[in-house]
Amino acid sequence: MTNLNHPETPKPAIRSVLVALMMAIFLGALDQTIVAVSMPAISAQFKDVSLLAWVISGYMVAMTVAVPIYGKLGDLYGRRKLMLFGMGLFTLASLFCGMAQSMEQLVLARIFQGIGAGGMISVSQAIIGDIVPPRERGRYQGYFSSMYAVASVAGPVLGGYMTEYLSWRWVFLINLPLGLGAYWVARRNLIGLPIPQRKPIIDYLGTLLMIIGLTALLLAITQVGQGHAWRSSEVLGLFACAVAVLAVFVWHERRAREPLLPMHLFTNRSALLCWCTIFFCSFQAISLIVLMPLRFQSVTGAGADSAALHLLPLAMGLPIGAYFAGHRTSITGRYKPQILTGALLMPISILGMAFSPPDATLLSSLFMLLSGIAGGMQFPTSLVGTQNSVEQKDIGVATSTTNLFRSLGGAVGVALMSALLLALLQDSSFAHLAGSSLMSEGHSGNVLLDGLNAAPGDAQNALRAELLVTFRHLLMVSAAVSLLGLAAAIAMPNRLLRGREHGAR
């Protein structure tokens, strides 16, 4: 039988496996960003704004909740089956998204698409944990980060062009050839992966509790980001439900024979601090990807296509940081210095963005590039650090928990920053423009931009100047939050990675 520790897989096999995994990561990440630009066209066709935000949020919530479940099932049944299931479900759901005849059908199909994407992203990174020793993983996880980066910029640009020249339906239908191609490559190449030798025991109650608890938490966070008041009965009820159910979940997991999420992982200081850094890093990265194009459009008056290209330096910085961190990690065998450098660079780069005018292209691009490098140095390295600090039998669940914290960080970041932007606008001249609908159009800010364009010349200039100050305050808060990630990086143990004998030459 295959050795569970570190099977000797020849380089060509790793390379062909990597192609399959990178395609899966790219598809899952692309659908987080490609849809945002199509929101106005979708709402115009279905004439339904009430559910519009859930076209993005439904996908994100489903993906986040699915990730830890796939991680555990991969540990129990082997990862190849789950990877192929996730890809198949994602591709089929994409077809239903493209054929949707109502907003309700589209949101439901997006939820199934998110469940499929959760498997593709979570299982991909766990497979690297199976076939590559920790010392070399930084390099391979760096390739995955570059896929996230390419998807974050390709998404809005592709979505914009397809919506403009074809139809919003092609935003989903493009996944059919891509998904089928990825499925074929994965089915052919994901052979010889470790197969667990223990008898699977499914924690059905734990799975149900986690789905209810996480869904309630994410729904509450998302509603705050869409303009609902913190103290509204709906939001408070969801938060109360989340706290109660997750408390029961923790109590149950401590007693389960084969827990979905082993609680002993949370007593592992190194893994816990890696999860904290990745949470705050994702908080910054995803909220910047959502809010920086809006800042650029509203302050300079640029179009959506220019705003998407404005993210290019951030997307270029992610793979640069990931490559450098992965290379240094494989040479030195230590991951903390790279995480610490990235965590230190993040607040500096965000403050730089806050005080550089959006139309100062060179200066603004430099700080965007630095924030990308800061994120790139933390994302793959934190995952490698987590995988190194747990036993091989827990690789899948540790990897999926890392992805859970990454998804939660992004969801909380977008919700809190959007809610804060709404609050700041309520206190400004924008109070008549920035009702609760400001962020309801897929975080695209259409109401804000429409209101700006409707204002006469002098008033419009005054509003743009006021917006510049508002976004500066927002970025200063963001920089302050990133200091929590820096604190976690400082507290992290400076461990040496396993697998020195496999070290890069």
Coordinates of all heavy atoms in Angstrom, one line a residue, residues 35-86:
V35 N -18.1 37.7 -11.2 CA -19.5 38.0 -11.2 C -19.8 39.5 -10.9 O -20.8 40.0 -11.3 CB -20.3 37.1 -10.3 CG1 -21.8 37.3 -10.4 CG2 -20.0 35.6 -10.7
A36 N -18.9 40.1 -10.0 CA -19.3 41.4 -9.5 C -19.6 42.4 -10.6 O -20.5 43.2 -10.5 CB -18.1 41.9 -8.6
V37 N -18.8 42.4 -11.7 CA -19.0 43.4 -12.8 C -20.3 43.2 -13.5 O -20.9 44.1 -14.1 CB -17.8 43.3 -13.8 CG1 -17.9 44.4 -14.8 CG2 -16.5 43.4 -13.0
S38 N -20.9 42.0 -13.4 CA -22.1 41.6 -14.2 C -23.4 42.0 -13.4 O -24.5 41.8 -13.9 CB -22.1 40.1 -14.5 OG -20.9 39.8 -15.1
M39 N -23.2 42.4 -12.1 CA -24.4 42.6 -11.3 C -25.5 43.5 -11.9 O -26.6 43.2 -11.9 CB -23.9 43.2 -9.9 CG -23.2 42.2 -9.0 SD -24.3 41.0 -8.4 CE -23.6 39.5 -9.1
P40 N -25.1 44.7 -12.4 CA -26.1 45.6 -13.0 C -26.9 44.9 -14.1 O -28.1 45.0 -14.2 CB -25.3 46.8 -13.5 CG -24.1 46.8 -12.8 CD -23.8 45.3 -12.5
A41 N -26.2 44.1 -15.0 CA -26.9 43.4 -16.1 C -27.8 42.4 -15.6 O -28.9 42.2 -16.1 CB -25.8 42.8 -17.0
I42 N -27.4 41.6 -14.5 CA -28.3 40.6 -14.0 C -29.5 41.2 -13.3 O -30.6 40.7 -13.5 CB -27.5 39.8 -12.9 CG1 -26.4 39.0 -13.6 CG2 -28.4 38.8 -12.1 CD1 -25.4 38.3 -12.7
S43 N -29.3 42.3 -12.6 CA -30.5 43.0 -11.9 C -31.4 43.6 -13.0 O -32.7 43.5 -12.8 CB -30.1 44.0 -10.9 OG -29.5 45.1 -11.6
A44 N -30.9 44.1 -14.1 CA -31.7 44.6 -15.1 C -32.6 43.5 -15.8 O -33.7 43.8 -16.1 CB -30.8 45.3 -16.2
Q45 N -32.0 42.3 -16.0 CA -32.7 41.3 -16.6 C -33.9 40.7 -15.7 O -35.0 40.5 -16.2 CB -31.8 40.1 -17.0 CG -32.5 38.9 -17.5 CD -31.9 38.2 -18.6 OE1 -30.8 38.5 -19.0 NE2 -32.5 37.2 -19.2
F46 N -33.5 40.5 -14.4 CA -34.5 39.8 -13.5 C -35.4 40.9 -12.8 O -36.3 40.5 -12.1 CB -33.8 38.9 -12.5 CG -33.2 37.7 -13.2 CD1 -31.9 37.3 -12.8 CD2 -33.9 37.0 -14.2 CE1 -31.3 36.1 -13.4 CE2 -33.3 35.9 -14.8 CZ -32.0 35.5 -14.4
K47 N -35.0 42.2 -12.9 CA -35.7 43.2 -12.1 C -35.9 42.9 -10.7 O -37.0 43.0 -10.1 CB -37.0 43.5 -12.8 CG -36.8 44.0 -14.3 CD -38.1 44.3 -15.0 CE -37.9 44.9 -16.3 NZ -37.0 44.2 -17.2
D48 N -34.8 42.4 -10.0 CA -34.9 42.0 -8.6 C -33.6 42.4 -7.9 O -32.6 41.8 -8.2 CB -35.1 40.4 -8.6 CG -35.3 39.9 -7.1 OD1 -35.1 40.7 -6.2 OD2 -35.6 38.7 -7.0
V49 N -33.7 43.4 -7.1 CA -32.5 43.9 -6.4 C -32.4 43.2 -5.0 O -31.3 43.1 -4.4 CB -32.5 45.4 -6.2 CG1 -31.3 45.9 -5.5 CG2 -32.7 46.1 -7.6
S50 N -33.5 42.7 -4.5 CA -33.5 42.2 -3.1 C -32.6 41.1 -2.9 O -32.0 40.9 -1.8 CB -34.9 41.8 -2.7 OG -35.4 40.8 -3.5
L51 N -32.4 40.2 -3.9 CA -31.6 39.0 -3.7 C -30.2 39.2 -4.4 O -29.4 38.3 -4.4 CB -32.3 37.8 -4.3 CG -33.4 37.2 -3.5 CD1 -34.1 36.1 -4.3 CD2 -32.9 36.6 -2.2
L52 N -30.0 40.4 -5.0 CA -28.8 40.5 -5.9 C -27.5 40.3 -5.2 O -26.6 39.6 -5.7 CB -28.8 41.9 -6.5 CG -27.8 42.2 -7.6 CD1 -28.1 41.3 -8.8 CD2 -27.9 43.6 -8.1
A53 N -27.4 40.8 -3.9 CA -26.1 40.6 -3.2 C -25.8 39.1 -2.9 O -24.6 38.7 -2.8 CB -26.2 41.3 -1.9
W54 N -26.9 38.3 -2.9 CA -26.6 36.9 -2.6 C -26.1 36.1 -3.8 O -25.6 34.9 -3.6 CB -28.0 36.2 -2.1 CG -28.3 36.8 -0.8 CD1 -29.3 37.7 -0.5 CD2 -27.6 36.5 0.5 NE1 -29.2 38.0 0.9 CE2 -28.2 37.3 1.5 CE3 -26.5 35.7 0.8 CZ2 -27.8 37.3 2.8 CZ3 -26.1 35.7 2.1 CH2 -26.7 36.5 3.1
V55 N -26.0 36.7 -4.9 CA -25.3 36.1 -6.1 C -23.9 35.9 -5.8 O -23.2 34.9 -6.1 CB -25.5 36.9 -7.4 CG1 -24.8 36.3 -8.5 CG2 -27.0 36.9 -7.7
I56 N -23.3 36.9 -5.0 CA -21.9 36.8 -4.6 C -21.8 36.1 -3.2 O -21.1 35.2 -3.0 CB -21.2 38.2 -4.6 CG1 -21.0 38.6 -6.0 CG2 -19.9 38.1 -3.8 CD1 -20.2 39.9 -6.1
S57 N -22.6 36.6 -2.3 CA -22.6 36.2 -0.9 C -22.9 34.7 -0.7 O -22.3 34.0 0.0 CB -23.5 37.0 0.0 OG -23.1 38.3 -0.1
G58 N -23.9 34.2 -1.5 CA -24.3 32.8 -1.4 C -23.2 31.9 -1.8 O -22.9 30.8 -1.2
Y59 N -22.4 32.3 -2.8 CA -21.2 31.5 -3.3 C -20.2 31.5 -2.2 O -19.6 30.4 -1.8 CB -20.7 32.1 -4.5 CG -19.5 31.5 -5.1 CD1 -19.6 30.4 -6.0 CD2 -18.2 31.9 -4.8 CE1 -18.5 29.8 -6.5 CE2 -17.1 31.3 -5.3 CZ -17.2 30.3 -6.2 OH -16.1 29.7 -6.7
M60 N -19.9 32.6 -1.6 CA -18.8 32.8 -0.6 C -19.2 32.0 0.7 O -18.4 31.3 1.3 CB -18.6 34.2 -0.2 CG -18.1 35.1 -1.3 SD -16.3 34.7 -1.7 CE -15.5 35.5 -0.3
V61 N -20.5 32.1 1.1 CA -20.9 31.4 2.3 C -20.8 29.9 2.1 O -20.3 29.2 3.0 CB -22.4 31.8 2.7 CG1 -22.9 30.9 3.8 CG2 -22.4 33.3 3.2
A62 N -21.4 29.4 1.0 CA -21.3 28.0 0.7 C -19.9 27.4 0.6 O -19.6 26.4 1.2 CB -22.1 27.7 -0.6
M63 N -19.0 28.2 0.0 CA -17.7 27.7 -0.2 C -17.0 27.7 1.2 O -16.3 26.7 1.5 CB -16.9 28.7 -1.1 CG -15.5 28.2 -1.4 SD -14.7 29.3 -2.6 CE -14.3 30.7 -1.7
T64 N -17.2 28.7 2.0 CA -16.5 28.7 3.3 C -17.0 27.6 4.2 O -16.2 26.9 4.9 CB -16.9 30.1 4.0 OG1 -16.5 31.1 3.2 CG2 -16.1 30.2 5.4
V65 N -18.3 27.3 4.2 CA -18.8 26.2 5.1 C -18.4 24.8 4.6 O -18.1 23.9 5.3 CB -20.4 26.3 5.1 CG1 -21.0 25.1 5.8 CG2 -20.8 27.6 5.8
A66 N -18.3 24.7 3.2 CA -17.9 23.4 2.7 C -16.5 23.0 2.9 O -16.1 21.8 3.0 CB -18.2 23.4 1.1
V67 N -15.6 24.0 3.0 CA -14.1 23.8 3.1 C -13.7 22.8 4.2 O -13.0 21.8 3.9 CB -13.4 25.1 3.1 CG1 -12.0 24.9 3.8 CG2 -13.2 25.7 1.7
P68 N -14.1 23.0 5.5 CA -13.7 22.1 6.5 C -14.3 20.7 6.4 O -13.6 19.7 6.8 CB -14.1 22.8 7.8 CG -15.2 23.7 7.4 CD -14.9 24.1 6.0
I69 N -15.4 20.6 5.8 CA -16.1 19.3 5.6 C -15.3 18.4 4.6 O -15.0 17.3 4.8 CB -17.6 19.4 5.2 CG1 -18.3 20.1 6.3 CG2 -18.2 18.1 4.9 CD1 -19.7 20.6 6.0
Y70 N -14.9 19.1 3.5 CA -14.1 18.4 2.5 C -12.8 18.0 3.1 O -12.2 16.9 2.8 CB -13.8 19.3 1.3 CG -14.9 19.4 0.2 CD1 -15.7 20.5 0.2 CD2 -15.0 18.3 -0.7 CE1 -16.7 20.5 -0.8 CE2 -16.0 18.4 -1.7 CZ -16.8 19.5 -1.7 OH -17.8 19.6 -2.7
G71 N -12.2 18.8 3.9 CA -10.9 18.5 4.5 C -10.9 17.2 5.3 O -10.1 16.3 5.2
K72 N -12.0 17.1 6.1 CA -12.1 15.9 7.0 C -12.4 14.7 6.1 O -11.9 13.6 6.3 CB -13.2 16.1 8.0 CG -13.4 15.0 9.0 CD -12.1 14.8 9.8 CE -12.1 13.6 10.8 NZ -10.9 13.4 11.5
L73 N -13.4 14.8 5.2 CA -13.7 13.7 4.3 C -12.5 13.2 3.5 O -12.4 12.0 3.2 CB -14.9 14.0 3.4 CG -16.3 14.2 4.1 CD1 -17.3 14.7 3.1 CD2 -16.7 13.0 4.8
G74 N -11.7 14.1 3.1 CA -10.4 13.8 2.3 C -9.5 12.9 3.2 O -8.9 12.0 2.7
D75 N -9.4 13.3 4.5 CA -8.6 12.5 5.4 C -9.2 11.1 5.6 O -8.4 10.1 5.8 CB -8.5 13.2 6.8 CG -7.6 14.4 6.8 OD1 -6.7 14.4 5.9 OD2 -7.7 15.2 7.7
L76 N -10.5 10.9 5.5 CA -11.1 9.6 5.7 C -11.2 8.8 4.5 O -11.0 7.6 4.5 CB -12.6 9.9 6.3 CG -12.7 10.5 7.7 CD1 -14.1 10.7 8.0 CD2 -12.0 9.6 8.7
Y77 N -11.5 9.4 3.3 CA -11.8 8.6 2.1 C -10.7 8.7 1.0 O -10.8 8.0 0.0 CB -13.1 9.0 1.5 CG -14.3 8.6 2.3 CD1 -15.0 9.5 3.1 CD2 -14.7 7.3 2.4 CE1 -16.1 9.1 3.9 CE2 -15.8 6.9 3.1 CZ -16.5 7.8 3.9 OH -17.6 7.4 4.6
G78 N -9.7 9.6 1.2 CA -8.8 9.9 0.1 C -9.3 11.1 -0.7 O -10.5 11.4 -0.8
R79 N -8.3 11.8 -1.3 CA -8.6 13.2 -1.8 C -9.1 13.1 -3.3 O -9.7 14.0 -3.7 CB -7.4 14.1 -1.6 CG -7.0 14.1 -0.2 CD -6.2 15.3 0.2 NE -5.3 14.9 1.3 CZ -5.7 14.7 2.6 NH1 -6.9 14.9 2.9 NH2 -4.8 14.4 3.5
R80 N -8.7 12.1 -4.0 CA -9.0 12.1 -5.5 C -10.5 12.1 -5.7 O -11.0 12.9 -6.5 CB -8.3 10.8 -6.1 CG -8.5 10.8 -7.6 CD -7.7 9.6 -8.2 NE -7.9 9.6 -9.7 CZ -8.8 8.9 -10.3 NH1 -9.7 8.2 -9.6 NH2 -8.8 8.9 -11.6
K81 N -11.2 11.2 -5.0 CA -12.7 11.2 -5.2 C -13.3 12.5 -4.9 O -14.2 13.0 -5.6 CB -13.3 10.1 -4.2 CG -13.0 8.7 -4.6 CD -13.6 7.8 -3.5 CE -13.2 6.4 -3.6 NZ -13.6 5.6 -2.5
L82 N -12.9 13.2 -3.8 CA -13.5 14.4 -3.4 C -13.2 15.5 -4.4 O -14.0 16.4 -4.6 CB -13.0 14.8 -2.0 CG -13.8 13.9 -0.9 CD1 -13.0 14.0 0.4 CD2 -15.2 14.4 -0.7
M83 N -11.9 15.5 -4.9 CA -11.5 16.5 -5.9 C -12.4 16.4 -7.1 O -12.9 17.4 -7.6 CB -10.0 16.3 -6.2 CG -9.6 17.3 -7.3 SD -9.7 19.0 -6.7 CE -8.1 19.5 -7.0
L84 N -12.6 15.2 -7.6 CA -13.4 15.0 -8.8 C -14.9 15.3 -8.6 O -15.5 15.9 -9.4 CB -13.3 13.5 -9.3 CG -11.9 13.1 -9.8 CD1 -11.8 11.7 -10.1 CD2 -11.4 14.0 -11.0
F85 N -15.4 15.0 -7.4 CA -16.7 15.4 -7.0 C -16.9 16.9 -7.0 O -17.9 17.4 -7.6 CB -17.1 14.8 -5.6 CG -18.4 15.3 -5.1 CD1 -19.6 14.7 -5.6 CD2 -18.5 16.3 -4.2 CE1 -20.9 15.2 -5.1 CE2 -19.7 16.8 -3.7 CZ -20.9 16.2 -4.2
G86 N -16.0 17.6 -6.4 CA -16.0 19.1 -6.3 C -16.0 19.7 -7.7 O -16.8 20.6 -8.0

